[in-house]
Amino acid sequence: MSFTVAIDGPAAAGKGTISKAVAQHFGFAHLDTGLLYRAVGAKVLAGAEPVEAARALTAEDLAAEGLRTPEVARAASQVAVEPEVRAALVDFQRAFAARAGGAVLDGRDIGTVICPEAPAKLFVTASAEVRAERRLRELIARGHVTDFDAVLEDVKARDARDSARTVAPLKPADDAVVIDTSDLSIEEAVAAAIDAISARR
Ligand code: CDP
């Protein structure tokens, strides 16, 4: 039987950590849909045409090195504005969501556009400052040289572009449970997510 968990939210809100933990808890498969847009963004930075890159995406592209950099995140949110890029990625995401045994998808438009019928929807958010702080720590741990102000500016610019676009803008679905992780530990955030999903099962 399929059971889809849709987890949306702004940049660096903790969606990835929560999604992985939730998928493990329930034994569901997990798809980080941001990776699809990052892979397209990376190809565009390498000279590809966005729509062609989206249509030709392969599993190897998703496993490529260097998709977690701020440059690729920026390119991802630029290609993500294009309706034809988004359209090229819909079937793959919906097929993943429908797989037997349950699936967790995290992104920006999972509860609103990709899987509006998902029984469990979460919108994970936190203040821009807290999110920038977390992303800064991740980037430094991966060896990037950057600072808080640069990361905060990136996060805010990406949120503004993701929220303002006309196709599939970042926003909570009407029936999403909102989890603000600003003052929560990872354990508390994961527990809140598991409770919310359990209530919908
Ligand atoms: O990890 P982080 O939250 O910073 O970003 P991500 O989830 O990897 O997404 C990178 C970019 O891809 C976002 O800023 C969005 O512009 C885009 N995206 C999207 O438009 N729709 C999705 N379902 C997932 C990501």
Side-chain angles (χ1 to χ4, degrees):
M1 227 189 68
S2 73
F3 183 90
T4 307
V5 179
I7 304 186
D8 293 303
K15 298 183 302 290
T17 305
I18 291 174
S19 298
K20 280 193 209 96
V22 157
Q24 197 178 11
H25 177 87
F26 290 104
F28 296 165
H30 170 227
L31 177 65
D32 168 3
T33 66
L35 219 46
L36 304 175
Y37 294 90
R38 285 175 182 262
V40 176
K43 290 195 155 222
V44 169
L45 287 177
E49 196 280 320
V51 179
E52 273 168 31
R55 287 184 183 147
L57 217 57
T58 65
E60 290 84 74
D61 295 332
L62 302 184
E65 294 276 309
L67 296 184
R68 298 282 175 199
T69 66
E71 294 72 30
V72 171
R74 213 172 299 137
S77 93
Q78 283 160 357
V79 300
V81 174
E82 294 192 33
E84 284 179 76
V85 166
R86 307 198 69 83
L89 303 175
V90 168
D91 288 351
F92 176 76
Q93 294 176 84
R94 288 197 178 139
F96 192 98
R99 61 166 55 199
V104 180
L105 284 80
D106 74 280
R108 301 291 185 289
D109 62 340
I110 309 304
T112 50
V113 173
I114 301 296
C115 304
E117 309 298 333
K121 297 178 189 171
L122 306 181
F123 192 84
V124 177
T125 189
S127 73
E129 287 71 21
V130 166
R131 291 186 287 119
E133 189 61 51
R134 289 178 186 159
R135 182 52 46 94
L136 178 65
R137 265 186 265 132
E138 274 173 35
L139 290 171
I140 289 174
R142 267 196 241 110
H144 291 278
V145 179
T146 183
D147 62 41
F148 177 79
D149 289 344
V151 175
L152 180 62
E153 200 179 309
D154 256 355
V155 158
K156 283 184 172 171
R158 204 139 59 82
D159 287 353
R161 186 159 43 229
D162 291 349
S163 305
R165 69 185 176 219
T166 37
V167 180
L170 167 67
K171 63 170 183 201
D174 291 339
D175 53 347
V177 174
V178 178
I179 300 178
D180 187 324
T181 67
S182 301
D183 298 316
L184 300 183
S185 65
I186 291 177
E187 292 73 22
E188 289 169 333
V190 169
I194 289 173
D195 281 353
I197 295 161
S198 299
R200 302 282 174 98
R201 284 196 91 193

